[in-house]
């Protein structure tokens, strides 16, 4: 199987995105790589596809349990054998996973960095045929980055202990030039291909507001987007708790996440958000790295983050499916003082010398200044972000509050009116809503997040094409042969039935859609299509 066939069969795409093919070719050719792609740019395919085509096993080093679970679940849905090893498993479960891995039953194994050099995993690794080590969120290796994790420094020691060095690849969405150099040096990449596809996310709208009352402004924002999936970031646990209670009192399905909560509550909150039982997540920056939820339509920052790297990474959790999404920062001057206090009282790597600590503190203060200039400046917000990461940009993007002149209420009202006029085709819009209901029903039956069945972007393409046959269904972006085998009959039956029901004059309502979804799920089962 060649790479194009694998891309279509397992991931449902007929072509590669910018930079993907270049990185994939390098890895398949035995060359190390550093790939810097924006969130939602398709980084995971760059190591998931080579894993299918290489003879041995691919290790994916990942910092978060939730990310591993999501990606493994998505791979299994796509027909790829994969597993993860992290602290969510019992010792017995780890032994079973390693035994199966030793039997070559997995093509990809996701593992937390602190697990690499444990005796049990080393015994497996020394005997295994490891073709590729992919390091996700690779900026965590740099002490100058915003998410430094000391355990990432153990990765080269693990690689060097192996009897045969595999190809090593590093992936990140945000990295300044200093952090890029650190990644190459600290992970000991050998003559790597360095592929930077750009940091721009054209589907994201950026805005800074300076309200007199942030709580009132936040309530207005969330109420206007009731039922949509969104994240609200706060600088402190106290603000998280306060806003969570405020939104719950206003009737919103909301959960909270911060390091002060016990592990069980954090896990339940994350699951409720991932499975769309809760629409709003209020959290500190403890939540989010690697979150693969594709249908987040807005990210609001109640407080200004300490640096642009963190802001862009957190804001970038919106619109991962390519749909339009909003990133709004509610700025107040006291955020600057809070940021300074948090920098001065933050934990520092104890191995740093006094000179290095002083240098690190100075860099953090400079990054806070850059973030403040973003929040208070009068130039294009997107251009400011891209320039910060060393990328040229137009003076005006036309998709931020500065370019759209939203510094006054009448202008804001004009834009709102324009957006209201831009109503999509009603038939496709109804079909999309109906397909989401079917997807959600199936996901609930299988107890997996809805976007793992199909993303919103795939459903929009399906709503536009309205496939009537298996051949047509396979032309939908995001539908591969495995997904077609699992869901094709169900969705085709539903589309036919939905169109016929509306054509017969039955009014569109949620009860009708829910009934059709249940009927389609039953009719589309494999044992009904033999």
């Amino acid at each position: 199987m060649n790479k194009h066939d694998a891309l279509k069969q397992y991931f449902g795409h007929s072509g590669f995105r910018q930079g993907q093919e270049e990185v994939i070719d390098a890895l398949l050719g035995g060359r190390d790589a550093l790939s810097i792609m924006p969130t939602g740019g398709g980084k995971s395919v760059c190591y998931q596809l080579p894993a299918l085509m290489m003879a041995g096993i691919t290790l994916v080093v990942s910092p978060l349990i939730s990310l591993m679970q999501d990606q493994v679940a998505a791979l299994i849905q796509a027909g790829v054998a994969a597993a993860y090893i992290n602290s969510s498993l019992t010792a017995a479960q780890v032994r079973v996973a390693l035994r199966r891995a030793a039997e070559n039953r997995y093509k990809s194994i996701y593992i937390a960095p602190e697990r690499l050099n444990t005796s049990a995993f080393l015994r497996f690794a020394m005997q295994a045929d490891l073709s590729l080590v992919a390091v996700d969120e690779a900026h965590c290796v740099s002490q100058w980055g915003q998410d430094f994790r000391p355990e990432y420094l153990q990765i080269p020691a693990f690689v060097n202990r192996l009897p045969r060095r595999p190809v090593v690849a590093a992936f990140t969405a945000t990295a300044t030039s200093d952090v890029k150099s650190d990644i190459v040096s600290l992970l000991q990449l050998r003559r790597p291909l360095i592929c930077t596809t750009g940091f721009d996310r054209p589907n994201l709208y950026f805005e800074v507001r300076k309200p007199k009352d942030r709580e009132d402004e936040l309530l207005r924002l969330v109420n206007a987007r009731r039922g949509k999936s969104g994240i609200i970031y706060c600088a402190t646990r106290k603000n998280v708790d306060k806003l969570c209670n405020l939104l719950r009192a206003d009737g919103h399905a909301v959960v909270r996440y911060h390091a002060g909560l016990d592990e069980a509550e954090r896990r339940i909150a994350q699951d409720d958000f991932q499975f769309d039982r809760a629409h709003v997540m209020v959290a500190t920056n403890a939540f989010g790295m690697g979150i693969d939820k594709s249908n987040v339509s807005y990210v609001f920052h109640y407080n200004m983050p300490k640096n642009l790297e963190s802001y862009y990474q957190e804001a970038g959790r919106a619109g991962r499916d390519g749909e339009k999404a909003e990133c709004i920062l509610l700025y107040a001057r006291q955020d600057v003082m809070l940021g300074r206090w948090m920098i001065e009282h933050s934990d520092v790597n104890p191995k740093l010398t006094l000179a290095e600590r002083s240098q690190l503190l100075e860099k953090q203060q400079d990054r806070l200044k850059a973030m403040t200039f973003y929040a208070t400046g009068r130039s294009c917000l997107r251009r400011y972000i891209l320039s910060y990461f060393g990328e040229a940009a137009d003076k005006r993007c036309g998709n931020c509050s500065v370019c759209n002149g939203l510094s006054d209420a009448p202008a804001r009202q004009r834009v709102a009116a324009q957006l209201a006029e831009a109503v999509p085709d009603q038939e496709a819009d109804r079909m999309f809503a109906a397909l989401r209901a079917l997807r959600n029903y199936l996901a609930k039956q299988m107890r997996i997040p809805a976007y793992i069945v199909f993303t919103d972007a795939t459903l929009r393409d399906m709503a536009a094409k309205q496939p009537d046959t298996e051949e047509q269904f396979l032309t939908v972006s995001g539908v591969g042969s495995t997904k077609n085998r699992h869901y094709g009959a169900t969705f085709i039956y539903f589309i036919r039935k939905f169109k016929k029901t509306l054509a017969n004059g039955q009014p569109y309502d949620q009860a009708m859609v829910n009934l059709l979804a249940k009927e389609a799920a039953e009719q589309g089962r494999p044992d009904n299509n033999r």
Side-chain angles (χ1 to χ4, degrees):
M1 180 185 298
N2 63 41
K3 60 190 177 187
H4 294 283
D5 290 340
L7 182 70
K8 180 58 183 173
Q9 177 174 333
Y10 292 102
F11 305 101
H13 302 304
S14 55
F16 291 100
R17 295 185 190 180
Q18 183 185 1
Q20 285 181 328
E21 190 168 15
E22 185 181 2
V23 174
I24 288 167
D25 285 345
L27 300 183
L28 291 176
R31 185 180 179 187
D32 288 359
L34 167 58
S35 176
I36 301 155
M37 294 181 175
T39 302
K43 293 187 296 296
S44 58
V45 169
C46 292
Y47 54 82
Q48 289 174 346
L49 192 146
L52 293 168
M53 301 183 68
M54 289 175 159
I57 297 170
T58 290
L59 291 185
V60 182
V61 182
S62 179
L64 286 184
I65 291 172
S66 59
L67 174 61
M68 298 186 213
Q69 292 172 334
D70 286 352
Q71 291 209 2
V72 167
L75 284 172
I76 292 171
Q77 279 286 306
V80 179
Y84 57 81
I85 296 174
N86 56 43
S87 60
S88 72
L89 302 181
T90 64
Q93 289 173 322
V94 170
R95 286 195 296 271
V96 170
L98 289 176
R99 188 188 75 241
R100 291 175 176 171
E103 295 168 354
N104 293 316
R105 291 169 66 173
Y106 304 125
K107 289 300 293 178
S108 292
I109 298 174
Y110 286 70
I111 185 165
E114 61 271 17
R115 293 269 171 161
L116 286 173
N117 290 297
T118 60
S119 58
F121 191 77
L122 278 172
R123 280 195 301 271
F124 156 75
M126 298 301 277
Q127 302 297 322
D129 178 16
L130 301 181
S131 300
L132 171 64
V133 173
V135 182
D136 204 6
E137 307 290 353
H139 61 277
C140 292
V141 78
S142 174
Q143 67 184 21
W144 309 118
Q146 76 278 12
D147 288 311
F148 174 59
R149 300 199 175 200
E151 57 268 24
Y152 264 61
L153 296 173
Q154 302 173 18
I155 296 172
F158 166 78
V159 172
N160 292 334
R161 295 176 76 167
L162 298 174
R164 181 181 65 83
R165 184 186 186 275
V167 179
V168 180
F171 299 87
T172 183
T174 52
T176 60
S177 58
D178 288 343
V179 173
K180 285 184 202 176
S181 299
D182 258 5
I183 292 171
V184 173
S185 173
L186 295 172
L187 291 180
Q188 299 177 15
L189 302 183
R190 298 181 180 177
R191 298 179 296 102
L193 166 75
I194 299 179
C195 178
T196 303
T197 61
F199 292 92
D200 193 17
R201 298 277 306 283
N203 63 314
L204 299 186
Y205 165 78
F206 291 97
E207 181 174 349
V208 175
R209 297 190 182 187
K210 305 179 179 84
K212 292 181 179 179
D213 188 317
R214 279 198 284 197
E215 288 186 20
D216 285 350
E217 187 72 4
L218 184 74
L219 275 176
R220 281 193 291 271
L221 286 168
V222 177
N223 281 331
R225 294 153 184 82
R226 190 176 288 271
K228 291 187 176 181
S229 183
I231 304 172
I232 300 167
Y233 279 107
C234 304
T236 66
R237 301 173 187 180
K238 181 179 178 181
N239 278 345
V240 168
D241 295 339
K242 176 183 69 173
L243 294 181
C244 183
N245 291 333
L246 181 72
L247 291 168
R248 282 176 178 168
D250 207 43
H252 293 277
V254 56
V255 289
R256 60 179 180 161
Y257 192 105
H258 60 67
L261 304 175
D262 62 56
E263 185 179 344
E265 183 174 350
R266 291 200 304 270
R267 185 176 63 253
I268 291 169
Q270 185 159 301
D271 284 350
D272 284 347
F273 185 62
Q274 293 282 73
F275 284 82
D276 291 317
R277 293 188 290 266
H279 296 129
V280 184
M281 169 66 78
V282 186
T284 62
N285 61 6
F287 173 80
M289 186 194 294
I291 289 300
D292 204 24
K293 185 174 170 64
S294 67
N295 66 335
V296 176
S297 64
Y298 64 84
V299 172
F300 300 150
H301 278 80
Y302 187 78
N303 301 106
M304 184 184 75
K306 293 179 292 183
N307 53 68
L308 263 172
E309 291 94 334
S310 296
Y311 177 71
Y312 198 48
Q313 186 180 60
E314 291 160 10
R317 283 158 196 152
R320 290 179 64 108
D321 56 3
E323 297 292 304
K324 291 182 178 180
E326 300 171 287
C327 309
I328 301 177
L329 167 63
L330 303 181
Y331 171 76
R333 282 189 297 177
Q334 57 263 38
D335 287 341
V336 180
M337 293 180 284
L338 177 61
R340 287 176 185 156
W341 187 91
M342 294 179 79
I343 288 171
E344 291 167 0
H345 292 81
S346 60
D347 293 331
V348 179
N349 182 0
K351 294 182 180 180
L352 295 181
T353 65
L354 286 175
E356 287 174 330
R357 290 188 184 195
S358 177
Q359 186 182 5
L360 178 59
L361 181 62
E362 185 178 345
K363 279 182 176 280
Q364 290 175 336
Q365 295 287 6
D366 287 343
R367 290 206 293 252
L368 177 62
K369 288 178 185 176
M371 184 71 236
T372 306
F373 290 153
Y374 170 86
T376 58
R378 297 183 179 180
S379 61
C380 170
L381 299 178
R382 176 172 273 98
R383 184 170 188 259
Y384 186 92
I385 291 171
L386 297 180
S387 297
Y388 180 82
F389 288 109
E391 187 172 323
D394 294 335
K395 288 186 176 180
R396 294 178 60 83
C397 72
N399 196 28
C400 76
S401 55
V402 174
C403 290
N404 291 348
L406 296 186
S407 58
D408 60 284
R412 206 174 255 127
Q413 292 164 3
R414 287 196 302 274
V415 172
Q418 292 167 4
L419 290 173
E421 291 171 5
V423 179
D425 176 75
Q426 190 177 43
E427 182 182 358
D429 207 40
R430 282 182 171 180
M431 180 64 79
F432 170 69
L435 290 171
R436 285 193 73 191
L438 172 60
R439 176 195 64 181
N440 295 346
Y441 179 85
L442 294 172
K444 188 175 181 180
Q445 294 293 305
M446 295 183 289
R447 298 181 179 178
I448 59 175
Y451 62 86
I452 287 180
V453 177
F454 287 123
T455 66
D456 279 5
T458 294
L459 293 187
R460 285 205 181 279
D461 194 40
M462 199 182 298
K465 293 176 177 175
Q466 300 187 10
D468 195 60
T469 65
E470 182 176 319
E471 291 74 20
Q472 293 173 2
F473 192 71
L474 281 165
T475 68
V476 175
S477 177
V479 175
S481 58
T482 305
K483 289 286 184 82
N484 173 60
R485 189 166 63 251
H486 286 165
Y487 305 115
T490 299
F491 277 83
I492 291 169
Y493 179 91
F494 180 85
I495 289 168
R496 289 174 180 167
K497 198 77 172 175
F498 182 75
K499 290 166 67 175
K500 185 177 180 180
T501 300
L502 292 184
N504 289 339
Q506 183 170 339
Y508 174 92
D509 61 48
Q510 196 59 48
M512 177 267 284
V513 171
N514 292 342
L515 188 62
L516 285 183
K518 186 176 181 180
E519 181 182 329
E522 180 62 31
Q523 291 296 322
R525 287 171 55 187
D527 55 353
N528 287 334
N529 293 280
R530 289 176 180 166

